[in-house]
Amino acid sequence: MDLEIKNLHVSIDDKEIVKGVNLSVKHGEFHVVMGPNGSGKSTLAKAIMGHPRLKITQGEIIVDGVNIADLTADKRAKLGIFLQFQNPLEIEGVGFVNFLHTSKRSVTKGDVDVNQFMGEVDSWTKKLKITNGIVGRSLNQGFSGGEKKKAEILQLALLKPKLAILDEPDSGLDIDAIKVVAENINEIGEKQEMGLVVITHYNRILSYMKPKFVHVMVDGKIVAEGSTELIEKLEKEGYDSFVGK
Ligand SMILES: Nc1ncnc2c1ncn2[C@@H]1O[C@H](COP(=O)(O)OP(=O)(O)O)[C@@H](O)[C@H]1O
Ligand SMILES: [Mg+2]
């Protein structure tokens, strides 16, 4: 799946947040979007997913040659696009395993072999070092920040989208968990040939990741693009050196 974002402008309540973003993510490519808090990264991610509160005032979001800007979030998910929220919702009364199974059936448009599926749940739960029985609880209910993030990586592993946008998969994680999450994201992306866009404002997770392209977003615009060398430059100079360019 190829994603091509062209001159995208996005507003919330008539305030422009994303101010003309171009971004191209080809099949199976791994991209990172970095930027300070409030630069519009989450808004960009939500716009790609079709968040109903956002208004696309200009530009296009093209998936495999088709503009998806008018599709509902549900239809975009069925195309194979996945968004990990920066702040996942807690849903009372919806068992996590049930939720996973229903989501899987919805994206595969058919039956899922329950035994095989539970085997996969079990194996990824171990790989992600998910403990405390969260798999048996309601979705995100009482999950710690780190558990919510791991729960979303578990969804990523099981749902196998074609393109995934992960919004701060490192927030709320301790150092050991960051490593586990990063390594699993690398593995899932490679094995599934999944297009990945990882959003972060913090470079620690990037020391365990192997993105091909890095984009820096400041004040609603992509102000720099390049390879992982850009991460080193950011580490030394901070975001300030990119402001006003
Ligand atoms: N629901 C909202 N209503 C009003 N303003 C919002 C809303 N969500 C985000 N914003 C504003 O949009 C800007 C960008 O936010 P966001 O996309 O969350 O940035 P980032 O993810 O890069 O930290 C911020 O100034 C924020 O206050
Ligand atoms: Mg954000």
Side-chain angles (χ1 to χ4, degrees):
M1 173 180 279
D2 295 339
L3 170 72
E4 186 87 40
I5 295 172
K6 287 187 182 163
N7 188 32
L8 191 69
H9 292 253
V10 182
S11 295
I12 305 175
D13 300 337
D14 291 330
K15 184 179 169 220
E16 185 164 74
I17 310 284
V18 174
K19 304 170 180 173
V21 163
N22 295 294
L23 183 69
S24 164
V25 181
K26 295 251 165 16
H27 177 82
E29 278 179 1
F30 187 172
H31 292 244
V32 162
V33 177
M34 299 185 74
N37 268 323
S39 55
K41 305 180 300 296
S42 292
T43 305
L44 174 65
K46 287 177 187 165
I48 298 170
M49 257 349 268
H51 194 287
R53 265 204 71 191
L54 303 176
K55 203 164 157 214
I56 295 177
T57 53
Q58 243 190 91
E60 291 174 309
I61 303 171
I62 298 167
V63 167
D64 290 340
V66 179
N67 188 1
I68 62 157
D70 294 329
L71 295 187
T72 58
D74 185 51
K75 292 218 171 83
R76 296 184 206 200
K78 283 196 172 131
L79 281 177
I81 308 172
F82 175 96
L83 172 65
Q84 172 181 49
F85 288 98
Q86 186 173 345
N87 302 303
L89 295 173
E90 300 192 7
I91 307 180
E92 198 181 338
V94 175
F96 186 32
V97 169
N98 248 326
F99 169 78
L100 287 171
H101 189 232
T102 307
S103 311
K104 178 83 185 173
R105 274 188 18 211
S106 158
V107 294
T108 55
K109 303 180 195 79
D111 282 336
V112 177
D113 182 303
V114 176
N115 283 330
Q116 192 191 334
F117 185 71
M118 288 315 294
E120 267 190 71
V121 170
D122 203 42
S123 117
W124 281 105
T125 302
K126 290 201 178 84
K127 281 172 91 153
L128 283 161
K129 300 196 173 52
I130 292 176
T131 51
N132 303 334
I134 63 167
V135 168
R137 307 216 302 257
S138 282
L139 181 61
N140 290 328
Q141 189 112 73
F143 290 18
S144 71
E147 286 166 349
K148 282 181 188 169
K149 292 293 167 177
K150 284 190 174 181
E152 294 219 305
I153 305 304
L154 180 62
Q155 288 171 52
L156 182 73
L158 295 166
L159 301 182
K160 304 182 176 77
K162 296 184 182 119
L163 174 75
I165 300 153
L166 309 179
D167 194 359
E168 305 212 0
D170 45 353
S171 72
L173 296 181
D174 59 41
I175 295 169
D176 294 336
I178 286 180
K179 187 161 184 277
V180 169
V181 160
E183 286 170 354
N184 277 282
I185 292 171
N186 281 334
E187 183 187 327
I188 296 164
E190 271 171 29
K191 269 199 189 142
Q192 301 295 332
E193 288 187 33
M194 192 184 289
L196 281 176
V197 181
V198 170
I199 296 171
T200 181
H201 70 273
Y202 190 53
N203 54 29
R204 172 160 277 146
I205 193 168
L206 299 176
S207 50
Y208 306 111
M209 289 189 148
K210 296 169 260 175
K212 191 167 173 203
F213 300 102
V214 177
H215 313 264
V216 181
M217 188 165 179
V218 177
D219 190 23
K221 296 187 200 101
I222 307 279
V223 294
E225 290 177 298
S227 63
T228 47
E229 287 151 35
L230 210 47
I231 300 169
E232 288 155 37
K233 184 173 152 70
L234 263 176
E235 222 161 300
K236 284 201 205 98
E237 299 173 17
Y239 289 117
D240 284 350
S241 63
F242 295 96
V243 179
K245 284 189 183 166

